[in-house]
C-alpha cells in the first residue's frame, strides 16, 4: 500500500473572495509512511490545506503533488491514491453503515465480490459489524467517525488525510482511533496527514509536526525537536492567599521571564532549567509566602506555538477539559 | 469512460435506493402530477364542450399529456433538490472526493431522476387509463411520447443540477422550480393554442413548451403535429442544460 512519493507542496496558497488568504504560501514535504501532524488553532488554514491536497479545492497559487500526482492537473489519479476523512463526517442519514460501504466501494469501481469482502473486513476492523445494518442517523458521534475512517480506507489508499478526526470524541473512542491510525502507518505503510488542534494528539501520533497560524507554517519538525528548541521548563505557583500574588510574582521573576499562567497563578520560564526549582521553593519560603499549588511544566507543543506566534493555541483548553485533566496552564 | 460509468451507477444506486425506501422522498413527485391530473382532467372536463375544442382523444387524454410532461419536468427539479441537499449537508464532498470522473456524478443524478420519473409516469398512465383515457396513437407514436418525456426529464434535472451546484443550498429550490413552472403554465395547458387569446396566446406561441405539448397531444391522438420541432426543442434543451450543469459542477469544484 506504501507509495514512493508522499506529499510535496511549494508555495501552496488559497485566497478567497474579499482577498482573504486562508493559506498563504505553504511548503511541505511528507515522506512516504510518515504520520505528519498539522497543528493549529481554528481558522489557521488546516482544513483549507487538506481540501487543496485532496483536490476538493483548487489552489490559487503554488503547486502540490500527492502520491506523485499534481493536485490540479491529475486530480483523478490523486483521488485514486488517497483516502480522506474530513472534519464533519459526510454521511447520509438514510443509509446504513453497510450501504455506505457499498456506495463507497462502487464509487471506486470495485467489483461486487471485492466490495463485499472489503466491506465486511472494514466493518469488523472499526467495530461496526453489529451496527452495520442500522441507519447512520442512529449512530453516535464516535461510530460515525469510525465509519468515516472505514470509508476512507475501502480502496486501500497509500495516503490518508484525517481532518481533525477526534474532535468531539470521548477519550475511549479517541484512543481507539489513535491506535488504528498508528497501526495503519506502522503495519501498512500508509502515509498519514493529520490535522488537529489537540496538542496531545500531535504529540502522541505524529512523526513530524507542522504548526500553522494565519495560513503560514510557523514551525516544523519532530515533536521532540520542536520542544527542545524551547528548551527550558516553566514553573507556575498559585498563592494560597490571592493578595500575595504580586509578591509571588516578584519572587518568581528572579528566576526567569514571566509566561502566561492560569488566572490565579504566576508562571515563569526558568532560566536555570528544572534544577532551579529547589531555589524557587527556598526563595518563596524565605519570603514567607504560602502556596496552594506549585507545578513544573516541561515544554509542550503549546509552548512551541506560543514561542512562534506569541499566543497560546486555541482549543488546548477544550482538549484538557474533555479528558478531565487538571486546569490548563499554558506556560 | 469506465470510471464515468461506475461513478454514475454508484450515485444512481444511492438516489434510487433512498427514493424507494423513503416514501417522503418519492411521494411528492408522485402526488403532484396525480393532483394536477385529477384537478384538471376531472374538474375541467366540460372545457371539451367549448366551441373550437377539437382534440379527438378527449379532454382526459388532452390533460394526460400535460401531466405526463409536467411530471417529467418536475421529477427532474425534485432531483435537483436532492443535489442541493447533498451539497448543503456536505455529502457531495464524499462523492467529489471518491469519484475519479466527477462528470459521472451529474450523470448519476440524471439516472436517479429518470428512474423516479419512470415510476411516476407509470402510475399517472395507469390512473389515466383507469379514468377512461382514449389512446388513439399507435405504439410507435406512444414510444415517441415516452422518449419526449425522457428528454424533458433529463433537461429538467440538468437545469436543476446546474442551479444546485452553483448555489449549493436548498434555498435555491425556488430558482430551480419557478422557471420550469412558468414555462409549463405559459403553454396551452387547459385548452388548445387556437383557443387562447391576448398576451397568453402571444407567449404560448413562442414558448418552447408549447411545441412539446402540441406534439405530445398529437402523438396520443394518432395525429402527429410539430413532432420534429418538439424533438429539436427537447434535444436543444438537453444540450444547453448539459453545458449549464457541467459548468455548475466546475463552480462547485472551485468553491470546494
Amino acid at each position: 500500500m506504501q507509495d514512493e512519493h508522499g506529499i510535496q507542496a511549494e508555495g501552496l496558497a488559497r485566497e478567497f473572495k474579499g482577498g482573504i488568504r486562508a493559506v498563504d504560501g505553504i511548503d511541505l514535504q511528507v515522506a512516504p509512511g510518515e504520520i505528519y501532524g498539522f497543528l493549529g488553532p481554528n481558522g489557521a488554514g488546516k482544513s483549507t490545506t487538506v481540501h487543496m491536497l485532496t483536490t476538493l479545492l483548487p489552489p490559487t497559487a503554488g503547486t502540490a503533488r500527492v502520491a506523485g500526482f499534481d493536485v490540479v492537473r491529475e486530480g483523478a489519479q490523486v483521488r485514486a491514491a488517497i483516502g480522506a476523512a474530513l472534519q464533519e463526517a459526510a454521511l447520509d442519514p438514510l443509509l446504513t453503515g453497510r450501504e455506505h460501504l457499498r456506495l463507497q466501494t462502487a464509487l471506486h469501481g470495485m467489483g461486487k465480490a471485492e466490495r463485499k469482502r472489503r466491506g465486511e473486513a472494514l466493518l469488523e476492523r472499526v467495530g461496526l459489524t453489529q451496527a452495520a445494518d442500522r441507519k447512520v442517523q442512529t449512530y453516535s458521534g464516535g461510530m460515525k467517525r469510525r465509519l468515516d475512517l472505514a470509508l476512507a480506507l475501502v480502496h486501500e489508499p497509500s495516503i490518508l488525510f484525517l481532518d481533525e478526526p477526534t474532535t468531539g470524541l470521548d477519550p475511549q473512542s479517541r484512543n481507539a482511533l489513535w491506535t488504528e491510525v498508528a497501526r495503519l502507518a506502522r503495519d501498512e505503510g500508509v502515509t498519514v496527514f493529520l490535522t488537529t488542534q489537540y496538542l496531545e494528539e500531535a504529540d502522541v501520533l505524529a512523526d513530524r509536526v507542522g504548526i500553522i497560524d494565519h495560513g503560514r507554517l510557523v514551525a516544523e519538525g519532530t515533536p521532540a525537536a520542536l520542544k527542545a528548541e524551547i528548551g527550558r521548563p516553566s514553573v507556575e505557583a498559585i498563592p494560597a492567599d490571592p493578595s500575595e500574588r504580586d509578591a509571588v510574582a516578584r519572587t518568581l521573576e528572579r528566576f526567569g521571564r514571566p509566561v502566561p499562567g492560569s488566572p490565579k497563578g504566576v508562571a515563569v520560564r526558568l532560566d536555570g532549567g528544572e534544577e532551579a526549582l529547589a531555589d524557587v521553593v527556598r526563595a518563596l519560603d524565605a519570603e514567607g509566602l504560602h502556596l496552594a499549588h506549585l507545578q513544573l511544566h516541561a515544554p509542550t507543543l503549546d509552548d512551541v506555538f506560543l514561542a512562534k506566534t506569541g499566543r497560546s493555541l486555541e482549543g488546548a483548553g477544550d482538549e484538557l477539559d474533555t479528558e478531565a485533566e487538571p486546569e490548563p496552564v499554558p506556560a | 469512460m469506465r470510471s464515468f460509468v461506475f461513478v454514475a451507477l454508484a450515485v444512481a444506486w444511492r438516489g434510487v435506493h433512498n427514493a424507494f425506501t423513503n416514501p417522503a422522498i418519492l411521494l411528492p413527485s408522485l402526488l403532484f402530477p396525480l393532483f394536477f391530473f385529477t384537478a384538471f382532467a376531472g374538474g375541467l372536463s366540460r372545457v371539451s364542450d367549448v366551441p373550437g375544442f377539437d382534440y379527438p382523444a378527449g379532454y382526459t387524454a388532452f390533460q394526460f399529456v400535460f401531466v405526463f410532461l409536467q411530471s417529467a419536468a418536475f421529477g427532474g427539479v425534485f432531483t435537483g433538490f436532492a443535489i442541493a441537499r447533498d451539497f448543503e449537508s456536505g455529502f457531495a464532498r464524499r462523492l467529489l472526493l471518491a469519484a475519479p470522473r466527477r462528470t459521472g456524478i451529474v450523470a448519476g443524478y440524471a439516472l436517479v431522476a429518470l428512474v423516479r420519473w419512470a415510476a411516476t409516469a407509470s402510475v399517472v398512465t395507469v390512473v389515466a387509463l383507469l379514468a377512461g383515457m382514449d389512446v388513439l396513437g399507435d405504439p410507435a407514436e406512444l414510444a415517441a411520447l415516452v422518449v419526449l418525456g425522457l428528454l424533458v426529464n433529463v433537461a429538467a434535472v440538468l437545469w436543476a443540477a446546474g442551479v444546485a451546484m452553483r448555489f449549493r443550498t436548498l434555498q435555491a429550490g425556488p430558482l430551480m422550480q419557478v422557471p420550469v413552472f412558468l414555462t409549463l403554465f405559459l403553454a396551452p395547458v387547459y385548452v388548445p393554442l387556437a383557443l387562447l387569446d391576448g398576451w397568453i396566446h402571444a407567449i404560448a406561441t413562442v414558448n418552447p413548451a408549447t411545441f412539446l405539448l402540441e406534439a405530445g397531444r398529437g402523438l396520443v391522438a394518432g395525429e402527429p403535429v410539430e413532432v420534429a420541432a418538439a424533438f429539436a426543442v427537447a434535444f436543444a434543451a438537453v444540450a444547453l442544460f448539459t453545458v449549464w450543469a457541467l459548468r455548475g459542477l466546475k463552480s462547485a469544484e472551485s468553491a470546494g
Side-chain angles (χ1 to χ4, degrees):
Chain A
M1 202 187 289
Q2 184 163 356
D3 82 310
E4 298 170 356
H5 302 281
I7 302 166
Q8 299 91 35
E10 281 181 30
L12 196 66
R14 174 69 197 196
E15 185 172 323
F16 288 103
K17 283 179 184 170
I20 301 162
R21 282 179 81 82
V23 176
D24 195 6
I26 280 181
D27 297 328
L28 280 175
Q29 288 280 343
V30 180
E34 184 178 29
I35 300 181
Y36 187 87
F38 206 42
L39 183 68
N42 287 327
K46 303 188 297 292
S47 294
T48 305
T49 304
V50 167
H51 288 184
M52 287 191 285
L53 294 174
T54 55
T55 77
L56 272 177
L57 187 67
T60 48
T63 59
R65 294 183 77 79
V66 174
F69 300 107
D70 185 280
V71 294
V72 175
R73 288 182 285 106
E74 297 168 299
Q77 291 91 327
V78 171
R79 289 192 288 279
I82 65 168
L86 300 182
Q87 206 170 113
E88 287 173 15
L91 302 172
D92 182 342
L94 299 176
L95 294 180
T96 66
R98 198 186 303 281
E99 287 164 349
H100 271 91
L101 281 158
R102 178 188 165 156
L103 172 66
Q104 192 78 12
T105 48
L107 283 168
H108 285 286
M110 295 164 71
K112 198 172 178 182
E114 173 71 357
R115 286 207 305 249
K116 190 170 168 55
R117 184 194 66 74
R118 189 74 183 141
E120 294 302 326
L122 282 168
L123 283 169
E124 190 171 338
R125 192 197 287 184
V126 298
L128 287 175
T129 303
Q130 296 293 320
D133 294 314
R134 273 169 46 196
K135 287 191 175 175
V136 160
Q137 62 194 359
T138 67
Y139 281 20
S140 67
M143 292 165 83
K144 287 178 181 171
R145 287 282 182 193
R146 276 145 56 200
L147 177 60
D148 203 18
L149 179 64
L151 295 172
L153 296 172
V154 289
H155 55 305
E156 301 184 321
S158 59
I159 299 178
L160 183 62
F161 289 89
L162 300 172
D163 192 5
E164 304 206 9
T166 58
T167 299
L169 292 190
D170 59 81
Q172 192 183 352
S173 300
R174 185 184 299 186
N175 284 334
L177 200 133
W178 286 355
T179 303
E180 179 60 16
V181 170
R183 192 199 65 75
L184 281 166
R186 186 186 61 240
D187 297 350
E188 301 185 21
V190 176
T191 308
V192 180
F193 189 94
L194 170 94
T195 80
T196 184
Q197 53 180 313
Y198 295 151
L199 306 164
E200 188 190 355
E201 190 159 278
D203 222 348
V204 167
L205 272 181
D207 299 317
R208 276 193 313 135
V209 170
I211 296 180
I212 183 173
D213 188 40
H214 294 308
R216 288 179 174 276
L217 205 58
V218 294
E220 193 180 43
T222 65
L226 287 171
K227 285 183 281 190
E229 274 185 34
I230 300 300
R232 292 160 289 124
S234 63
V235 66
E236 183 186 33
I238 299 176
D241 180 355
S243 67
E244 292 181 342
R245 190 176 181 283
D246 288 344
V248 169
R250 279 194 300 276
T251 305
L252 287 189
E253 281 168 21
R254 284 162 29 201
F255 297 92
R257 183 172 54 83
V259 291
S262 65
K264 293 178 185 171
V266 176
V268 296
R269 174 112 25 237
L270 291 171
D271 289 338
E274 61 188 36
E275 290 79 10
L277 184 63
D279 295 335
V280 170
V281 173
R282 276 192 286 273
L284 289 165
D285 190 44
E287 296 290 336
L289 298 167
H290 297 283
L291 299 181
H293 182 76
L294 181 72
Q295 189 165 4
L296 185 72
H297 297 283
T300 66
L301 287 175
D302 198 31
D303 295 320
V304 178
F305 189 83
L306 181 68
K308 300 288 181 183
T309 67
R311 57 200 171 82
S312 181
L313 182 63
E314 293 171 22
D318 298 342
E319 177 194 17
L320 293 171
D321 285 345
T322 307
E323 304 243 343
E325 287 184 9
E327 188 179 346
V329 184
Chain B
M1 187 60 190
R2 186 178 163 270
S3 58
F4 174 86
V5 172
F6 64 64
V7 169
L9 290 177
V11 173
W13 170 80
R14 175 206 168 221
V16 170
H17 174 274
N18 278 358
F20 286 92
T21 54
N22 296 279
I25 295 176
L26 189 63
L27 279 179
S29 58
L30 204 60
L31 291 179
F32 273 106
L34 288 175
F35 170 78
F36 282 133
F37 182 71
T38 308
F40 297 165
L44 300 173
S45 59
R46 295 292 299 275
V47 171
S48 61
D49 297 335
V50 171
F53 187 94
D54 56 359
Y55 184 64
Y59 198 69
T60 302
F62 187 84
Q63 275 308 329
F64 165 76
V65 173
F66 171 73
V67 171
F68 187 81
L69 295 177
Q70 175 267 332
S71 68
F74 274 54
V77 170
F78 280 126
T79 303
F81 290 176
I83 299 171
R85 197 179 302 115
D86 280 346
F87 275 93
E88 200 168 73
S89 69
F91 191 82
R93 276 191 177 149
R94 174 169 303 290
L95 304 179
L96 291 169
L97 260 175
R101 287 281 291 272
R102 287 170 170 171
T103 48
I105 297 171
V106 179
Y109 282 123
L111 284 173
V112 176
L114 279 173
V115 174
R116 285 175 61 169
W117 178 66
T120 305
S122 301
V123 171
V124 168
T125 304
V126 167
V127 169
L129 289 170
L130 290 174
M133 175 176 70
D134 284 333
V135 179
L136 306 179
D138 61 32
E141 288 164 337
L142 298 179
L145 174 67
V146 171
V147 174
L148 205 55
L150 291 174
L151 291 171
V152 169
N153 182 252
V154 172
V157 72
L158 290 171
W159 154 254
V163 175
M165 290 188 288
R166 278 172 176 80
F167 291 91
R168 300 176 293 282
T169 166
L170 261 177
Q171 290 178 21
L175 204 56
M176 298 177 214
Q177 201 167 18
V178 170
V180 175
F181 187 87
L182 288 176
T183 305
L184 285 172
F185 280 86
L186 290 174
V189 176
Y190 308 110
V191 294
L193 181 63
L195 291 183
L196 294 178
D197 197 14
W199 67 269
I200 185 75
H201 181 270
I203 291 175
T205 303
V206 295
N207 184 348
T210 300
F211 293 99
L212 302 171
L213 274 179
E214 299 274 294
R217 284 166 178 161
L219 291 167
V220 171
E223 297 177 356
V225 288
E226 308 268 26
V227 176
F231 273 91
V233 164
F235 276 114
V238 170
L240 180 70
F241 293 132
T242 298
V243 175
W244 167 256
L246 293 180
R247 287 192 176 178
L249 176 64
K250 283 276 175 213
S251 167
E253 287 177 312
S254 298

